[in-house]
Amino acid sequence: MMKKGFKDIYTGLVLFAASLLMFFYVIPHHIKAYTVYGLPPSFFPKVITVALGVFSFILIISGLRQGGKEAFSLEAIKEHFRSIDGRPARNVLMIFGIAILYYIGLATIGFIISTPIIIFLLGIAFRWKRYVILILISGLTTTVLYLIFGVVLGSPLP
Amino acid sequence: MFHMIINGFVDILTVVNLLWIVFGTLLGIIIGAIPGLTATMGVALLLPLTFGMDTLPAISMLLGIYCGGMYGGSITAILINTPGTPAAAATSLDGYPLAKKGQAGKALKMAIFSSTVGGLFSALMLILIAPQLAKLALKFGPPEYFALVLLGLTVIAGISGKSLTKGLIAGSLGLLMSCIGLDPMLGMPRLTFGNIYLSSGLSTVPVLIGLFAIAEILENSEKIGVQGKKLTLHKISGDQRVSFKEFKSHFLTMIKGSLIGTYIGIIPGIGSGVSAFVSYNEAKRSSKHPENFGKGEMAGVVASESANNGATGATLIPLLTLGIPGDVVTAVLLGAFMIQGLTPGPLLFRDHGSTIFAIFAGFILINIVMFIFGLTGVKYFALVNNLPAELLYSVIFVMCAVGAFAVDNSLFNVLVVLIFGLAGYLFRKLEIPGGPFLIAFLLGPLFESNMRRTVILYDGNMLQIVKSPIAMFFLILCAISLFFIIRNNSQLKKIERN
């Protein structure tokens, strides 16, 4: 279990780095700064980025105050990684992977084919073992969603 | 006026009108409860159906969808932490923790009580003070909007939870995301990286679905196969009835929420989502136990539901009296009025007074029908909690993806859902609250455009804002609100330390 101080320090560091990247690279290169009068389009994003940097810095300081100073010790970091139970993270990655597959499926093979497959895969991933019910639910959900979105609402499902 | 409203009831109380009201309200509740489908979409989709219809059944049906949709959003917000509409996002903050405690039935009942009180209150306001309030709303210029939106943004501090810093980080990220798209003043692309889908900005619904629903699924997936952790929904337990004493104890919050909803609803462009958050914040501020908010406090559900339904009648005030649609749904309703040969504006009451009062009477009936459906439906809605979580999560995921796609028939929205789902999950792991992100994302464009207009108006000297009494009123409210939030936070920290 990650210490609260650790978490805050690393969250703060990542966000602080992101705000620097936004301020010095992304905004100057992706927003045109000139204007005829009034504030330029880059003004508001810049102000928010500065605010984000300041709040991230405060988070780092409060993390250090909460006893997270050892977050910078190599031994503490190693100890932290040794204590992590990898299973929840693997589960999340598996479900997110299936979600990405659904996006690819919708774009390539379309709604009708990819939807029942994905519901079936998600059911199995969630350890549902009654396969007949799972197949029935997959088919039924696809049909109902097709009728609501495709037929009644006239949405051109992929 | 009294005899006009009586005549209105006489006109609206026909079997055909009542059937359309029932149909519209029921359909609205269903649409609102489906993630990705909003009341706006429902009204827009059913608009063509009204071409051949008479005025009263047509407008009443569309208003039924509008009000029903506003309530329907709270059902999934409470049961599965998936707000069906943006306006229901504030409801999920305490509604879902209540469901986790086994009090989903009670929360759903309190939501329908609050929605009905809010809806009826706003109907009353619509009838009594519509023209006067609309005149005041017309005085709103960029400085007044700027001050009002700033007041809305102070909500971030109120719903930040344990860490104000993390709430402010979430708010900054929300504002930054709201910058994506075309610049609101000059139309230049910002942070689009050449992607054509980003040029119109990120749609609210996919962001909302990702942040709340997909993040919830991902968080629950952690429990798969982990010993001692079971993937279950939160079974309803104990007495789910709402006693008169409980109703009475929340009545003041309902009235306050209705007032906030009505007031914010009148102002064009702000909308019911913001009113729900402002009302939630006010309920937390004035509560004797602000520490319970976010952990399953019934007053949180009451405040947000009374405010979002309180805004329904109020948004019609500028539409009917001035011909100004305050948001997208009233813009669609403006089209419906025009189709029926009614041109909203100052002359509407003079030329079609009897029809308008019949519509007002219909609006009251819609809220009563919504109450009946909501109350009788609670036991059926709550059945969702008895379904196997493994199947429900699989189905909800697909529903969320398809709902997001249907917003503007774009696969890009599905990608947005996934990205914000992952972001929402990381937020939860890092204890960064999602509410401030959402409120900042919703208010960002309004805040920026009005701030920049104010700067131009005052030639760069923002201090001139003191010249506007309305803006000053909101700025003073901002200061008061911040003072109480900071005081409450320090008191909470003191309690925790002791």
Side-chain angles (χ1 to χ4, degrees):
Chain A
M1 182 78 178
M2 199 188 256
K3 275 187 184 176
K4 198 172 182 298
F6 266 49
K7 220 189 259 183
D8 288 356
I9 290 169
Y10 284 109
T11 309
L13 280 173
V14 169
L15 290 171
F16 190 72
S19 63
L20 287 179
L21 183 75
M22 284 291 296
F23 193 86
F24 290 108
Y25 179 74
V26 179
I27 294 174
H29 286 84
H30 292 277
I31 303 176
K32 286 182 179 126
Y34 63 82
T35 182
V36 184
Y37 59 91
L39 299 168
S42 61
F43 176 80
F44 192 59
K46 271 188 178 173
V47 170
I48 302 162
T49 309
V50 170
L52 183 64
V54 171
F55 298 140
S56 311
F57 189 71
I58 295 171
L59 193 64
I60 297 168
I61 301 293
S62 90
L64 286 169
R65 275 190 180 172
Q66 282 171 3
K69 281 175 191 158
E70 56 190 78
F72 299 108
S73 122
L74 196 65
E75 196 48 47
I77 294 170
K78 275 184 191 167
E79 179 55 39
H80 164 69
F81 278 107
R82 270 196 293 270
S83 67
I84 288 177
D85 174 11
R87 201 182 293 178
R90 274 201 299 274
N91 288 338
V92 171
L93 281 177
M94 178 176 64
I95 299 297
F96 193 70
I98 296 173
I100 295 283
L101 264 182
Y102 187 45
Y103 171 72
I104 297 168
L106 280 176
T108 51
I109 53 176
F111 170 83
I112 302 270
I113 301 172
S114 60
T115 303
I117 296 172
I118 291 300
I119 296 176
F120 188 77
L121 281 178
L122 279 172
I124 289 173
F126 278 117
R127 304 274 167 101
W128 178 261
K129 294 197 174 112
R130 294 179 194 172
Y131 298 116
V132 179
I133 293 179
L134 191 54
I135 292 169
L136 283 174
I137 292 287
S138 306
L140 191 70
T141 308
T142 309
T143 312
V144 170
L145 286 178
Y146 179 75
L147 287 175
I148 294 176
F149 288 95
V151 178
V152 179
L153 303 179
S155 173
L157 292 169
Chain B
M1 182 184 280
F2 188 68
H3 75 274
M4 292 205 65
I5 194 73
I6 295 291
N7 286 342
F9 272 107
V10 172
D11 288 344
I12 198 81
L13 280 170
T14 68
V15 177
V16 175
N17 289 345
L18 282 176
L19 280 175
W20 281 111
I21 284 176
V22 168
F23 170 74
T25 312
L26 187 61
L27 192 69
I29 294 175
I30 295 168
I31 285 174
I34 297 174
L37 293 187
T38 58
T40 310
M41 202 188 276
V43 173
L45 284 165
L46 270 287
L47 182 66
L49 193 73
T50 64
F51 286 156
M53 287 170 70
D54 289 336
T55 305
L56 283 182
I59 302 293
S60 303
M61 180 194 68
L62 295 178
L63 288 176
I65 295 172
Y66 180 31
C67 296
M70 211 51 89
Y71 163 69
S74 69
I75 299 170
T76 42
I78 291 168
L79 291 175
I80 49 175
N81 200 19
T82 307
T85 56
T91 309
S92 67
L93 295 178
D94 274 288
Y96 185 61
L98 277 167
K100 275 183 171 174
K101 289 180 185 172
Q103 293 183 25
K106 203 172 229 184
L108 284 168
K109 279 183 187 165
M110 205 48 114
I112 186 65
F113 283 134
S114 314
S115 296
T116 309
V117 169
L120 287 175
F121 184 89
S122 88
L124 204 66
M125 290 296 119
L126 183 67
I127 295 166
L128 295 177
I129 53 169
Q132 285 76 15
L133 283 173
K135 271 179 210 161
L136 181 72
L138 201 61
K139 287 182 182 160
F140 272 59
E144 288 77 18
Y145 271 108
F146 166 71
L148 178 67
V149 177
L150 196 65
L151 175 66
L153 284 173
T154 59
V155 171
I156 288 173
I159 56 169
S160 289
K162 282 181 187 170
S163 166
L164 181 61
T165 313
K166 287 185 181 175
L168 292 171
I169 285 176
S172 308
L173 290 171
L175 286 174
L176 206 55
M177 290 299 131
S178 75
C179 290
I180 295 174
L182 296 180
D183 174 69
M185 300 289 285
L186 305 169
M188 289 175 184
R190 290 193 309 188
L191 306 173
T192 59
F193 308 99
N195 186 332
I196 195 164
Y197 296 107
L198 285 176
S199 54
S200 54
L202 296 167
S203 300
T204 310
V205 173
V207 171
L208 179 84
I209 290 176
L211 213 56
F212 287 87
I214 303 296
E216 181 71 28
I217 294 173
L218 290 177
E219 195 177 33
N220 276 294
S221 71
E222 282 184 353
K223 297 175 196 164
I224 304 169
V226 176
Q227 214 172 12
K229 287 188 177 177
K230 203 167 175 279
L231 196 72
T232 51
L233 287 171
H234 318 288
K235 300 283 178 204
I236 291 173
S237 58
D239 190 6
Q240 300 294 316
R241 280 175 297 187
V242 175
S243 65
F244 180 69
K245 199 180 158 194
E246 280 173 299
F247 177 79
K248 213 172 80 176
S249 68
H250 291 298
F251 191 68
L252 190 67
T253 313
M254 281 182 207
I255 296 297
K256 257 203 282 184
S258 310
L259 262 171
I260 291 170
T262 302
Y263 190 66
I264 293 182
I266 288 170
I267 301 155
I270 305 289
S272 51
V274 177
S275 69
F277 274 105
V278 171
S279 170
Y280 179 87
N281 191 41
E282 169 53 27
K284 188 179 174 184
R285 188 199 61 77
S286 56
S287 169
K288 284 177 187 160
H289 301 287
E291 71 277 8
N292 292 344
F293 277 72
K295 296 175 191 163
E297 174 61 55
M298 195 61 86
V301 174
V302 170
S304 55
E305 278 305 301
S306 52
N308 68 29
N309 274 74
T312 50
T315 52
L316 296 177
I317 293 174
L319 174 75
L320 296 179
T321 56
L322 306 167
I324 301 169
D327 53 14
V328 187
V329 71
T330 43
V332 181
L333 283 171
L334 174 68
F337 275 96
M338 304 283 256
I339 288 168
Q340 297 298 329
L342 306 172
T343 308
L347 300 179
L348 185 67
F349 284 79
R350 193 195 69 188
D351 298 342
H352 302 278
S354 59
T355 310
I356 293 303
F357 276 91
I359 290 169
F360 288 171
F363 196 80
I364 292 171
L365 288 178
I366 285 164
N367 279 285
I368 294 167
V369 169
M370 183 182 80
F371 177 73
I372 294 166
F373 276 129
L375 206 59
T376 51
V378 166
K379 55 183 174 206
Y380 302 107
F381 303 145
L383 285 177
V384 170
N385 284 42
N386 295 331
L387 296 173
E390 298 88 341
L391 287 181
L392 199 64
Y393 286 140
S394 312
V395 172
I396 289 172
F397 167 74
V398 171
M399 260 173 81
C400 288
V402 178
F405 171 84
V407 171
D408 45 19
N409 300 325
S410 161
L411 264 178
F412 182 73
N413 283 344
V414 181
L415 197 61
V416 172
V417 165
L418 298 184
I419 292 167
F420 278 89
L422 193 62
Y425 170 73
L426 290 174
F427 272 21
R428 283 162 189 233
K429 293 288 112 188
L430 301 170
E431 293 166 5
I432 296 174
F437 178 94
L438 185 69
I439 193 92
F441 179 74
L442 288 174
L443 289 178
L446 268 176
F447 181 72
E448 187 191 0
S449 53
N450 285 298
M451 181 187 72
R452 286 169 66 181
R453 282 192 192 111
T454 309
V455 167
I456 294 170
L457 193 72
Y458 291 145
D459 212 12
N461 184 5
M462 285 291 274
L463 287 175
Q464 287 196 53
I465 204 165
V466 293
K467 282 181 185 170
S468 160
I470 298 173
M472 274 312 289
F473 170 73
F474 287 126
L475 289 177
I476 290 167
L477 276 186
C478 270
I480 294 171
S481 174
L482 279 177
F483 168 76
F484 279 108
I485 289 165
I486 291 165
R487 199 189 66 165
N488 280 349
N489 276 351
S490 64
Q491 276 175 349
L492 281 179
K493 277 186 184 161
K494 232 181 246 175
I495 291 166
E496 273 175 18
R497 268 201 299 273
N498 292 334

